[in-house]
Amino acid sequence: MSQATRLAALRALISAEPEGLAAGALARDLDVPDNTMSAHLALLSRAGLVTSERRGRSIVYRANMDQLRALVLFIVADCCGGRADQCAPILAEILPCCP
């Protein structure tokens, strides 16, 4: 996720839940060549952050919300080291976006 295109693709897939997005549509939306998008999606898939399924002639990608949730929880728990005073500001920023 440290690469801008991968992060943009992941954000787009999260926003497209639960339907997902075809790889070609995602490439067009992000103005990225198809082969470049395929490489980014393959990397995200190997990391377990996205899943794919063939629908006709298209491959539709979806965000793996369970894996993303586990990743976010790991990062927050690890960065706070169990100290509520350090986690509170992070949680305060996250909660307003998710009513």
Side-chain angles (χ1 to χ4, degrees):
M1 292 187 309
S2 64
Q3 202 277 342
T5 303
R6 277 194 295 276
L7 184 57
L10 190 57
R11 284 180 169 167
L13 291 172
I14 291 168
S15 295
E17 274 300 303
E19 296 84 16
L21 290 170
L26 186 56
R28 278 189 302 281
D29 290 349
L30 298 178
D31 196 26
V32 175
D34 288 345
N35 61 335
T36 301
M37 182 54 63
S38 291
H40 288 303
L41 291 169
L43 196 144
L44 289 168
S45 182
R46 283 192 302 276
L49 300 176
V50 301
T51 60
S52 63
E53 102 180 50
R54 182 168 289 284
R55 292 188 196 159
R57 293 179 51 183
S58 297
I59 298 176
V60 175
Y61 286 84
R62 292 185 55 211
N64 183 342
M65 297 306 288
D66 290 335
Q67 190 68 13
L68 287 164
R69 188 175 303 111
L71 175 61
V72 169
L73 290 172
F74 170 78
I75 291 170
V76 171
D78 188 53
C79 81
C80 297
R83 293 187 50 203
D85 60 315
Q86 290 182 348
C87 292
I90 295 168
L91 296 174
E93 286 186 47
I94 292 171
L95 291 177
C97 77
C98 306

